Amino acid sequence: MSRRKFYLTTAIDYPNSRPHIGTAFEKIGADVQARYRRQQGYDVFFLMGNDENTIKVVQRAEELGLDPKLYVDDMARQFKEVWDSIDISYDDFIQTSEERHRIGCQQFIQRVYDAGDIYKKNYEALYCEGCEEFKTESQLSAEGRCPNHPNQELKLVQEENYFFRLSKYADRLMALYEERPQFIQPETRRNEIVSLVRSGLEDVSISRRDFTWGIDVPWDPEHKIYVWFDALLNYITGVGYGTDEESFRRWWPADVHFIGKDITRFHCALWPAMLMSAGVELPRSVFAHGFVYRKDEATGEVQKIAKSLGNVIEPMDIVREFSSDAFRYYFMRECPFGGDGEFSFQRFAASYNADLANNLGNLFSRTVSMVLRYFDGQLTGSRDVEPVEVFAGVDVAEVVGRIAAHIEACRYNQALELIWREVLDAGNRYIEQQRPWLLANEKKPEYDLDACRRVLTNLAEAVRVAAILIRPFMPRAAETIYAGFNFPTPLAKADFDQVVHRPPLEEDLRVTARLTPEGKVEPLFPKIAPK
RNA sequence: GGGCCCGUAGCUCAGCGGUUAGAGCAGGGGACUCAUAAUCCCUUGGUCGGGGGUUCGAAUCCUCCCGGGCCUACCA
């Protein structure tokens, strides 16, 4: 009995500068999906990597006086360090300068060549080294420069190159979009691609002459494979295409490629056409996320994140000051994954204090504190309590179903909102209704310790449910919260179904949370002081 | 030029043909004290960008206009 598999990828990044929060946005969104699928029992393979066969790498390495391979290896190390710091749970990290990639790549392009979809052609055009793309006259700025790289001279390139017959696949691509509307998400990106392909596709150049860095075209080593053609292939070489057939058969096709909206056409037109030509199955879907912009605190101005604008924020800066979970939460809650979002420290602090410190963190603190204070940490008899009161009036199965559906559709912000409104708010509201501090006070008429134990058992249940549901988003906080009590199932084995079908307690609940020397609960998310 | 998306309370967003348009945050008032001065209750606030149309009924569908963003445009 093999379990369902789930193979997902992120775009591979150019290693010519360190990743910023916008790059991290994509990885976090993918990671939430990966963690969610693992939690629900899928066998998951989560691939990330760096895109290294580019001229920029060589240039940058030369500036630093380094061998290109040494340079890209060091950058890969730095990237992984950043991804590790925000708990991106990738299973493998491919570098396109690796041998396994070269082998698979050459095998693939040979297949396409043998299929008759590659031909040689002479051409001359302006080339932008910044974009690593040819530019047509109409794409140029008034000064005759590339609009994206106005400080660089365009190079007039004249050479004989290999071309891929992309135009041949236009009809089959249209049929693909028609038959599988889910192939491109979200909808707006799909519309763009349909419109693009309908307007006609040109054959594309897929090789470069006179490059010293990159992968040789197997039948003509004077040419290197063009970076875009080779980059896309990481998705198959990363799971063994050409080097490990068993692994490849196991994981391919990818269930989803997570990419930025700027590279949709490469993934939704070129990539499937390449696969069709080589006779390889197509990925199931491509999800193009939006961009994160930087909102200037003082002026309110929203700008792109760019080194030249001096507004780059490194993920590790935020992680160091706050936490990985806080970082992940902000982007998943405040920025719709399929659309654009913005970052400002003000918004970050507001969201953090309200949602993480006050709602989530404090619910945990007050729950554990009361059990400690009133019952010395032991909820005697809780084994026999069915804690259904805290979610009275809530159709738990229905809510969990909606949360799961949101996550599966990458509507992460809506999933989180639901968890907050239906679970955490319910918990905090329940406390106010029940007033356990009165039930525990022998001087009050409400004094009733059994009732108090029952209320706190209900609150422990709310905490348990919250931990399971937030786990894909905030794995560390989930772990800490879940460790607050001796819940029966290890968190690693607690899927969403355990929210609906609570595993029976084998022993009475007791507090197992880590405490301060004074015997108090450690704040999960210490409040951020307003600046 | 062609195409796509968006414009809903101060802010961030949900609602996408059907009762008096919602949430969170922010603002105002109150309650409580277990808790990270947290929480809970009540509340202020919107002619749903504008005009026209379809409909018994429109943020919700059509059309035009305004504003914002994006994709694309006669040899890669």
Side-chain angles (χ1 to χ4, degrees), chain A residues 322-360:
Chain A
F322 308 104
S323 66
S324 158
D325 281 344
F327 183 82
R328 295 166 62 99
Y329 179 80
Y330 176 83
F331 287 104
M332 292 298 97
R333 177 66 187 90
E334 299 295 321
C335 308
F337 200 49
D340 295 335
E342 53 193 54
F343 180 88
S344 79
F345 282 104
Q346 275 171 14
R347 271 189 68 178
F348 178 82
S351 155
Y352 175 103
N353 283 337
D355 296 350
L356 298 182
N358 297 351
N359 287 359
L360 175 62

Side-chain angles (χ1 to χ4, degrees), chain A residues 410-454:
Chain A
C410 301
R411 293 185 298 262
Y412 301 131
N413 58 331
Q414 293 187 53
L416 286 168
E417 170 151 33
L418 258 182
I419 296 170
W420 257 249
R421 296 292 77 80
E422 300 294 343
V423 176
L424 301 179
D425 286 357
N428 278 316
R429 225 180 291 128
Y430 178 73
I431 299 180
E432 300 303 320
Q433 285 159 1
Q434 301 298 324
R435 308 190 178 198
W437 52 90
L438 298 182
L439 299 173
N441 188 336
E442 56 191 23
K443 294 187 187 128
K444 298 285 182 186
E446 292 90 345
Y447 182 60
D448 183 345
L449 283 183
D450 285 340
C452 191
R453 277 195 207 90
R454 197 190 67 240

Side-chain angles (χ1 to χ4, degrees), chain A residues 103-312:
Chain A
I103 292 168
C105 220
Q106 289 186 324
Q107 184 172 315
F108 185 93
I109 201 171
Q110 186 69 49
R111 289 263 203 106
V112 176
Y113 186 64
D114 294 344
D117 283 337
I118 292 176
Y119 61 93
K120 212 173 195 179
K121 183 167 122 180
N122 216 337
Y123 80 101
E124 175 183 303
L126 292 168
Y127 187 76
C128 173
E129 291 189 340
C131 298
E132 304 211 26
E133 277 180 25
F134 286 94
K135 298 288 170 183
T136 61
E137 292 292 337
S138 58
Q139 287 174 313
L140 304 183
S141 64
E143 297 79 37
R145 301 283 179 102
C146 165
N148 300 328
H149 300 89
N151 300 324
Q152 285 183 22
E153 285 286 346
L154 289 166
K155 285 174 100 166
L156 184 65
V157 173
Q158 180 175 193
E159 62 184 34
E160 201 169 47
N161 279 345
Y162 288 100
F163 281 71
F164 172 60
R165 290 188 204 280
L166 179 59
S167 59
K168 172 178 157 185
Y169 290 92
D171 290 345
R172 286 177 66 183
L173 289 170
M174 286 304 285
L176 165 68
Y177 310 145
E178 189 69 32
E179 285 158 23
R180 290 165 49 187
Q182 298 299 304
F183 183 72
I184 308 172
Q185 292 173 73
E187 188 75 23
T188 170
R189 302 274 92 87
R190 177 177 182 273
N191 292 341
E192 272 174 23
I193 295 301
V194 168
S195 155
L196 171 82
V197 174
R198 207 200 319 266
S199 74
L201 291 172
E202 309 288 340
D203 291 348
V204 293
S205 157
I206 56 162
S207 72
R208 295 288 179 273
R209 271 192 86 121
D210 305 325
F211 276 27
T212 54
W213 177 250
I215 298 172
D216 290 345
V217 170
W219 64 88
D220 187 348
E222 296 207 336
H223 291 255
K224 301 284 186 200
I225 299 173
Y226 172 53
V227 61
W228 258 112
F229 197 88
D230 109 59
L232 290 161
L233 292 168
N234 93 85
Y235 301 131
I236 56 173
T237 62
V239 285
Y241 179 87
T243 53
D244 184 345
E245 278 309 304
E246 192 187 328
S247 164
F248 181 65
R249 268 198 308 274
R250 176 164 182 220
W251 295 111
W252 192 257
D255 291 272
V256 55
H257 293 310
F258 286 106
I259 58 162
K261 65 181 184 181
D262 55 331
I263 53 176
T264 315
R265 62 201 189 115
F266 293 104
H267 286 78
C268 298
L270 176 58
W271 178 226
M274 285 164 61
L275 291 166
M276 287 171 184
S277 173
V280 177
E281 201 175 337
L282 306 187
R284 300 220 164 90
S285 69
V286 175
F287 189 98
H289 63 80
F291 289 152
V292 172
Y293 295 88
R294 176 75 194 272
K295 187 166 188 175
D296 187 278
E297 249 94 278
T299 62
E301 187 192 352
V302 176
Q303 45 190 206
K304 275 182 89 158
I305 295 174
K307 245 195 298 191
S308 56
L309 291 171
N311 60 5
V312 171

